[in-house]
């Protein structure tokens, strides 16, 4: 009898484990925040119709990696932006900034991919490496690039960075820009200069139907709304 109970218990555990593997309870399933994701070639082929169909209003925005540095182009960017827009999702593009690469060269690389007519959201600049520069030199380099992006697109970009990286290198330097801040643990991030945070990237290991493997997820904080990052077509 004990053996039979043990076998039944093991079977029950296997069934429940399999069920959990097929469906993950994520933050957006349990709260009313405005959630979004960012995607690059690391996620491989994304089934955007499944993302839109299952997520409904739970995933409000998508940022796609377009470029990095002066000559790197994300190999799935064109496919991703076309299919994500076709699926009805609000889409923006981001550039991974390399501080030692000429700013005009980086802008040309980004601009060749991130076409204004394709954008629903303002550009986002990913800042998470120093390139061996001091904090002062990094900020000088970054400011030049952000100004070029603003001049090109006629609107200020969103800046993405990590909580620790910001506190160490960018403190007090980005007051003109909205920030998306990465911190993969509770509580929500707080910056040393008490800057307002537009969005919090709260996990790099999220799950979403239509996306193989992990996906970065974020949500707007406070009273911030999607309207604030809407791409204005002039």
């Amino acid at each position: 009898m004990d053996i039979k109970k043990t076998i039944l218990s093991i079977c029950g555990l296997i069934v429940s484990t399999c069920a959990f593997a097929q469906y993950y309870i994520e933050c957006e399933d349990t709260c009313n925040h405005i959630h979004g994701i960012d995607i690059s070639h690391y996620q491989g082929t994304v089934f955007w119709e499944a993302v839109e169909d299952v997520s409904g209003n739970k995933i409000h925005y998508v940022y796609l990696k377009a470029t990095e540095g002066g000559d790197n182009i994300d190999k799935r960017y064109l496919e991703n932006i076309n299919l994500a827009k076709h699926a009805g999702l609000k889409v923006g593009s981001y550039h991974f900034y390399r501080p030692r690469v000429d700013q005009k060269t980086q802008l040309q690389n980004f601009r060749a991919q991130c076409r204004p007519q394709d954008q629903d959201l303002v550009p986002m600049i990913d800042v998470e490496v120093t390139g061996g520069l001091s904090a002062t030199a990094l900020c000088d380099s970054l400011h030049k690039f952000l100004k070029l992006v603003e001049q090109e697109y006629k609107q200020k970009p969103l800046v993405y960075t990590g909580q620790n990286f910001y506190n160490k290198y960018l403190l007090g330097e980005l007051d003109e820009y909205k920030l998306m801040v990465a911190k993969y643990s509770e509580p929500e991030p707080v910056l040393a200069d008490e800057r307002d945070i537009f969005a919090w990237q709260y996990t790099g290991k999220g799950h979403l139907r239509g996306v193989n493997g992990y996906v970065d997820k974020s949500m707007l904080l406070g009273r911030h709304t999607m309207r604030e990052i809407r791409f204005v077509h002039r």
Side-chain angles (χ1 to χ4, degrees), residues 171-189:
L171 205 61
E173 292 288 337
L174 296 173
D175 291 348
E176 298 179 32
Y177 300 93
K178 288 181 172 57
L179 301 176
M180 179 185 290
V181 177
K183 178 176 181 279
Y184 298 159
S185 62
E186 293 281 359
E188 66 185 49

Side-chain angles (χ1 to χ4, degrees), residues 87-104:
L89 295 161
K90 297 298 183 184
V91 177
S93 305
Y94 76 91
H95 173 79
F96 189 98
Y97 185 62
R98 291 290 179 183
R100 284 189 176 274
V101 178
D102 178 74
Q103 290 87 7
K104 289 184 179 180

Side-chain angles (χ1 to χ4, degrees), residues 12-182:
L13 179 61
I14 291 171
V15 169
S16 62
T17 300
C18 290
F20 180 77
Q22 293 176 23
Y23 180 74
Y24 298 86
I25 295 178
E26 301 282 2
C27 182
E28 69 271 15
D29 295 320
T30 60
C31 76
N32 294 317
H33 288 93
I34 296 173
H35 289 262
I37 59 175
D38 66 79
I39 294 288
S40 72
H41 68 276
Y42 289 113
Q43 277 73 42
T45 299
V46 176
F47 299 94
W48 289 105
E49 294 291 347
V51 172
E52 191 277 336
D53 180 60
V54 176
S55 301
N57 292 324
K58 295 177 183 177
I59 299 299
H60 291 76
Y61 59 91
V62 178
Y63 267 100
L64 302 171
K65 184 176 182 180
T67 50
E68 178 176 334
D71 57 8
N72 186 292
I73 299 170
D74 191 278
K75 62 185 179 183
R76 291 196 179 271
Y77 174 72
L78 186 60
E79 170 189 326
N80 280 334
I81 196 165
N82 286 336
L83 294 179
K85 286 180 70 64
H86 186 265
L89 295 161
K90 297 298 183 184
V91 177
S93 305
Y94 76 91
H95 173 79
F96 189 98
Y97 185 62
R98 291 290 179 183
R100 284 189 176 274
V101 178
D102 178 74
Q103 290 87 7
K104 289 184 179 180
T105 301
Q106 294 198 63
L107 177 64
Q108 290 169 358
N109 187 28
F110 186 52
R111 178 62 177 81
Q113 303 304 315
C114 179
R115 304 184 307 169
Q117 63 266 33
D118 297 333
Q119 311 304 309
D120 300 307
L121 311 174
V122 299
M124 183 167 72
I125 308 305
D126 183 342
V127 187
E128 52 185 294
V129 297
T130 67
L133 299 180
S134 66
T136 300
L138 167 65
C139 290
D140 181 62
S141 170
L142 177 60
H143 278 302
K144 290 176 181 177
F145 183 66
L146 293 175
K147 290 299 182 185
L148 287 174
V149 173
E150 183 177 349
Q151 290 168 9
E152 179 66 37
Y153 292 97
K154 306 298 188 294
Q155 47 211 304
K156 290 184 182 296
L158 179 65
V159 177
Y160 167 92
T161 191
Q163 174 185 266
N164 294 337
F165 190 90
Y166 179 91
N167 287 337
K168 187 172 182 179
Y169 298 106
L170 303 174
L171 205 61
E173 292 288 337
L174 296 173
D175 291 348
E176 298 179 32
Y177 300 93
K178 288 181 172 57
L179 301 176
M180 179 185 290
V181 177

